[in-house]
C-alpha cells in the first residue's frame, strides 16, 4: 500500500512541477499570490513534511523535540527523525537530523518512538524501524556523547532489532514504543502499539526484551491499530506532573492511544506495578464519554515529564487538510501543537490541558474588557491587536438559565453532529456565544468557537463547538464543525474560553482546559492585517463577559543550523536572546 501511496506522491509532484513550469513560461504567478499559511509561533521545520512528535525530553537544561520528518519532500515518504532544541519550549534551534533509515532494521523508515532516561542519567531512544522487509521492529539508539546537552549525535545499537513481530503479532501493526518505566522489581516495562491493544514487554537490561502473556490493556475489535500509545501517572490531588516510573503516592494512570489517523483517546485507571494489572475506569470508544485530548485536529501525541518544572507536557502533530497538492504548493506540511501541561482535573475523572506558561512571553498590546453585558445579538470587535496572531481569554456568566432549550439523552452522544445542526448554531436562548476569529471584513470568512447551554432534565449541559464551515473560501478543504461537551456547571461556574490564533491554526481551551478543540484553517481573505476578531452573543438571553484579555502574539524565533560550529553560535545566541547584543 505504501508503494502505491509513494507512486501517487511522485505523480502529484510531477503534475505540480509541470504546472509550475507552465506558469513560469506563460508569465503567470498565481502560485506566488497564495497566502503561505506558515504559522509564527507554532513549531514547524523550515520546509518539508513533519508528522508525529517523538521523544520529547528535558536534558541538562535543554528542551528537545524530535519529530517524524521527510527530508526530501513535503509529503509523507521515507521517514527520518529530525531534532530541535530550546531553552523555553517556544523559541527553537533546528539541528541536523540524527536518525536516518540506513540499516536493514529501519531501511524503510525510522518511525515513532520515545526516550527513557536510564538510572545513570543517559537518555535512550526506543523507536520503530520499518525493516528491509517492511516489517515493524523496535530498535534502540544512544547519544554518541551524553555530556553534550544538545545531544547532537546518536548511535544505533548493535543489538538492533530488539523486538520483532512473532507469533500472533502482525508485522504491520507493531509500532511506537512508549517511554519505559521501571517496576518495583527493578524490571523495565514498555508498551508497543498493536492491533486493538497495548503489547507489554519487560527487560532487565533494556536490551533483551520479553513479551508478557497479556497486553497491558486491550479493546480488541472495538478499535483498529493503537498508534503512539502513551502511559503515565498523574497526581490525584497535586498541581505537579509525575515522572513516568513513579508508582506510589496518590496517583492514577492514564493510557492514551491514537486511533484511525484522527483522534487521541484516553482512559484513566489504577495500575499495579508488580502484576501489571491496569484497571480502567471507562472504556475506549464509549460514545457517551469519549475522553479525547482534543476534539479537533490533534494526533499521535506524546507526553514527557519536565523535571525542571515538575510538570508533564504534551505535544501533538496537527496535520493539514489541504492534501498533498496543498503541501507541494506550500513546500511543507504539518505543525506541532503548542506544548500543553497536562494534569488530572479536580473531579479525578478527566484531564485538563493548558498551554505552557512560557507562551505568555509572546504576548503584547493587551486589550481588556471587564464586567460587560453582551446583549442578545451583540457583536463586538476586539481592536488594536493583531487578530491573525492572538491569544484571547474570556469568561462568561449568566443571570438566568431557565429558558435554555431541552436536549434529549440521544442528543448527548454526538456533540459534533449537534454542533453542526441549527439547534446549536442558530439563535437559541443561552447561545451561541463565544469568539469569531480569523474573520474577513464582511465575515464571509470566519472560524467561530462558541458555546450553547442546554437543559437535560434537571441539569444544564454546555456544548462547545469550533465551526470551520466558513473558515476558508477555498475549495476542497475540511469544513467540519468539531464539538464536545464541557464539564462545567453554568449555574454555579463561569464558562471560560482561551483561544490561540496563529494564522492558520486555532487552538481552543474550554472550561479551563477540560475540553480542547484545535482547527486547521486556510483563510483566503482573513490573512495578516485583514483578519479580525470578535466576541459575540447570538442568543436571546444576555450573557455577561466577566473578564476578557486579548493580546497580540509576537513571532517565536526559529533558527536553523547547518554545522556543528553554527549550532554552537546559534545556541549561545538563543540562550541569551537574539538581538540582545551578546557576542557569541
Ligand atoms: N506515524 C508514524 C508511525 C505512527 C504514525 C510513521 C502515527 O510510527 O504509528 O510516521 O501518525
Amino acid at each position: 500500500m505504501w508503494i502505491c501511496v509513494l507512486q501517487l506522491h511522485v505523480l502529484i509532484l510531477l503534475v505540480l512541477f509541470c504546472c509550475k513550469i507552465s506558469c513560469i513560461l506563460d508569465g503567470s504567478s498565481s502560485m506566488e499570490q497564495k497566502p503561505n499559511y506558515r504559522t509564527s509561533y507554532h513549531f514547524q521545520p523550515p520546509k518539508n513534511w513533519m508528522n508525529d512528535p517523538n521523544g520529547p525530553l528535558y536534558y541538562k537544561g535543554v528542551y528537545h523535540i524530535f519529530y517524524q520528518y521527510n527530508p526530501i519532500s513535503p509529503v509523507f515518504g521515507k521517514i527520518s527523525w529530525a531534532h530541535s532544541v530550546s531553552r523555553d519550549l517556544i523559541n527553537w534551534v533546528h539541528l541536523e537530523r540524527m536518525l536516518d533509515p540506513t540499516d536493514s532494521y529501519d531501511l524503510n523508515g525510522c518511525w515513532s518512538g520515545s526516550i527513557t532516561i536510564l538510572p545513570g542519567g543517559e537518555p535512550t531512544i526506543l523507536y520503530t524501524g520499518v525493516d528491509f522487509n517492511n516489517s515493524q521492529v523496535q530498535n534502540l539508539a544512544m547519544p554518541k556523547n551524553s555530556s553534550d546537552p544538545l545531544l547532537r549525535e546518536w548511535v544505533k545499537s548493535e543489538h538492533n532489532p530488539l523486538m520483532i513481530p512473532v507469533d500472533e503479532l502482525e508485522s504491520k501493526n507493531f509500532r511506537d514504543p512508549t517511554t519505559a518505566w521501571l517496576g518495583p522489581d527493578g524490571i523495565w516495562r514498555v508498551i508497543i502499539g498493536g492491533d486493538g491493544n497495548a503489547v507489554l514487554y519487560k527487560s532487565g537490561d533494556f536490551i533483551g526484551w520479553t513479551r508478557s502473556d497479556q497486553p497491558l490493556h486491550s479493546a480488541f475489535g472495538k478499535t483498529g491499530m493503537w498508534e503512539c500509545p502513551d502511559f503515565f501517572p498523574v497526581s490525584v490531588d497535586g498541581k505537579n506532573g509525575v515522572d513516568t516510573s513513579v508508582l506510589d503516592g496518590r496517583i492514577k494512570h492514564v493510557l492514551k492511544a491514537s486511533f484511525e489517523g484522527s483522534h487521541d483517546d484516553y482512559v484513566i485507571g489504577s495500575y499495579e506495578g508488580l502484576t501489571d494489572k491496569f484497571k480502567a475506569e471507562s472504556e475506549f470508544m464509549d460514545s457517551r464519554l469519549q475522553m479525547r485530548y482534543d476534539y479537533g485536529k490533534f494526533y499521535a501525541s506524546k507526553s514527557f515529564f519536565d523535571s525542571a518544572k515538575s510538570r508533564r507536557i504534551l505535544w501533538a502533530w496537527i496535520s493539514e487538510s489541504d492534501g498533498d497538492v496543498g503541501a507541494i504548493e506550500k513546500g511543507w506540511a504539518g505543525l506541532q501543537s503548542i506544548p500543553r501541561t497536562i494534569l488530572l482535573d479536580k473531579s479525578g475523572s478527566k484531564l485538563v490541558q493548558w498551554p505552557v506558561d512560557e507562551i505568555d512571553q509572546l504576548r503584547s498590546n493587551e486589550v481588556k474588557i471587564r464586567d460587560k453585558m453582551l446583549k442578545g445579538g451583540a457583536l463586538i470587535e476586539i481592536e488594536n491587536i493583531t487578530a491573525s496572531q492572538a491569544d484571547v481569554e474570556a469568561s462568561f456568566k449568566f443571570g438566568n438559565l431557565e429558558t435554555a432549550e431541552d436536549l434529549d439523552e440521544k442528543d448527548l452522544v454526538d456533540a459534533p453532529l449537534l454542533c453542526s445542526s441549527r439547534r446549536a448554531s442558530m439563535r437559541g436562548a443561552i447561545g451561541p456565544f463565544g469568539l469569531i476569529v480569523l474573520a474577513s471584513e464582511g465575515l464571509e470568512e470566519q472560524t467561530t468557537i462558541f458555546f450553547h447551554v442546554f437543559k437535560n432534565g434537571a441539569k444544564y449541559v454546555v456544548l462547545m463547538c469550533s465551526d470551520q464551515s466558513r473558515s476558508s473560501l477555498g475549495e476542497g478543504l475540511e469544513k467540519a464543525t468539531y464539538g464536545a461537551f464541557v464539564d462545567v456547571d453554568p449555574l454555579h461556574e463561569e464558562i471560560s474560553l482561551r483561544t490561540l490564533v496563529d494564522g492558520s491554526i486555532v487552538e481552543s481551551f474550554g472550561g479551563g482546559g477540560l475540553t480542547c478543540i484545535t482547527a486547521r484553517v486556510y483563510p483566503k481573505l482573513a490573512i495578516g492585517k485583514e483578519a479580525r476578531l470578535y466576541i459575540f452573543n447570538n442568543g436571546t438571553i444576555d450573557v455577561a463577559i466577566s473578564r476578557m484579555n486579548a493580546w497580540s502574539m509576537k513571532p517565536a524565533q526559529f533558527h536553523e543550523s547547518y554545522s556543528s560550529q553554527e549550532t554552537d553560535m546559534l545556541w549561545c545566541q538563543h540562550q541569551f536572546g537574539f538581538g540582545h547584543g551578546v557576542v557569541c
Side-chain angles (χ1 to χ4, degrees), residues 368-420:
K368 291 183 194 175
I369 299 177
R370 292 288 178 271
D371 297 318
K372 185 176 175 70
M373 194 55 88
L374 266 183
K375 293 267 171 216
L379 177 70
I380 300 175
E381 182 166 2
I382 303 165
E383 293 174 289
N384 302 321
I385 61 164
T386 53
S388 60
Q389 277 166 236
D391 183 357
V392 190
E393 288 193 56
S395 291
F396 303 95
K397 66 179 178 199
F398 323 88
N400 187 343
L401 296 173
E402 267 156 33
T403 49
E405 302 92 68
D406 281 311
L407 276 189
D408 292 336
E409 282 298 306
K410 67 174 178 354
D411 297 320
L412 299 175
V413 296
D414 196 338
L417 186 68
L418 188 59
C419 280
S420 50

Side-chain angles (χ1 to χ4, degrees), residues 233-242 250-252 343-345 348:
V234 279
S235 164
V236 169
D237 44 18
K239 284 267 164 278
N240 287 334
V242 183
R250 290 185 31 86
I251 55 167
K252 289 188 179 185
L343 284 169
L344 194 62
D345 169 50

Side-chain angles (χ1 to χ4, degrees), residues 390-393 435 437 449 497-501 506-509:
D391 183 357
V392 190
E393 288 193 56
L435 296 173
V437 305
I449 308 100
L497 173 63
R498 179 172 183 187
T499 295
L500 296 170
V501 183
V506 179
E507 274 187 81
S508 298
F509 302 81

Side-chain angles (χ1 to χ4, degrees), residues 237-346:
D237 44 18
K239 284 267 164 278
N240 287 334
V242 183
D243 205 349
T244 313
S245 290
V246 172
L247 287 172
D248 47 11
R250 290 185 31 86
I251 55 167
K252 289 188 179 185
H253 270 76
V254 175
L255 175 64
K256 182 278 301 191
S258 303
F259 297 141
E260 296 155 18
S262 68
H263 46 92
D264 280 19
D265 288 13
Y266 68 91
V267 291
I268 295 175
S270 56
Y271 167 67
E272 210 288 300
L274 268 182
T275 57
D276 296 310
K277 294 265 175 291
F278 175 65
K279 200 162 174 302
E281 292 166 6
S282 61
E283 283 311 323
F284 281 117
M285 307 309 271
D286 177 331
S287 57
R288 179 71 196 270
L289 279 174
Q290 256 186 17
M291 301 216 291
R292 209 158 266 184
Y293 280 171
D294 190 297
Y295 294 83
K297 256 191 194 303
F298 189 91
Y299 194 65
S301 62
K302 193 163 296 287
S303 72
F304 74 103
F305 178 69
D306 170 9
S307 56
K309 297 199 172 170
S310 289
R311 57 187 173 171
R312 183 163 285 274
I313 293 177
L314 180 72
W315 284 94
W317 168 39
I318 314 297
S319 61
E320 306 292 324
S321 57
D322 60 350
D324 285 355
V325 172
I328 291 160
E329 281 186 8
K330 303 196 302 278
W332 58 270
L335 307 177
Q336 299 295 333
S337 64
I338 289 297
R340 304 172 176 182
T341 53
I342 182 163
L343 284 169
L344 194 62
D345 169 50
K346 58 180 184 313

